Amino acid sequence: MFDYLVKNIKYPEDAKKNGVQGKVFISFVVETDGNISNVGVLKGMGGSCDAEALRVVKGMPKWK
């Protein structure tokens, strides 16, 4: 999972320009078939960083 996240997260340009830094905490469920569901932000940084974290987690390949 870590490799996938590192390869797929693209830090939003507006966050770079505004010096936004921090962590986004995401929750999700791995279903019995390996799909990801119920993706949500537990603690965010706001705006585009939260959206990027959600995009990447929702796009994760099936878990084994």
Side-chain angles (χ1 to χ4, degrees):
M1 182 177 86
F2 183 75
D3 288 340
Y4 169 80
L5 294 175
V6 169
K7 290 177 185 175
N8 290 282
I9 291 177
K10 293 175 179 54
Y11 212 80
E13 286 299 320
D14 63 324
K16 285 181 191 176
K17 288 178 187 175
N18 294 320
V20 175
Q21 296 182 21
K23 295 178 184 179
V24 177
F25 293 86
I26 302 288
S27 66
F28 60 92
V29 173
V30 179
E31 301 291 343
T32 56
D33 65 356
N35 283 317
I36 303 298
S37 68
N38 299 336
V39 181
V41 176
L42 291 176
K43 182 179 178 187
M45 297 171 27
S48 57
C49 291
D50 294 358
E52 176 63 4
L54 287 172
R55 180 193 71 80
V56 173
V57 171
K58 287 179 180 178
M60 271 197 280
K62 282 188 172 186
W63 284 45
K64 296 180 183 178

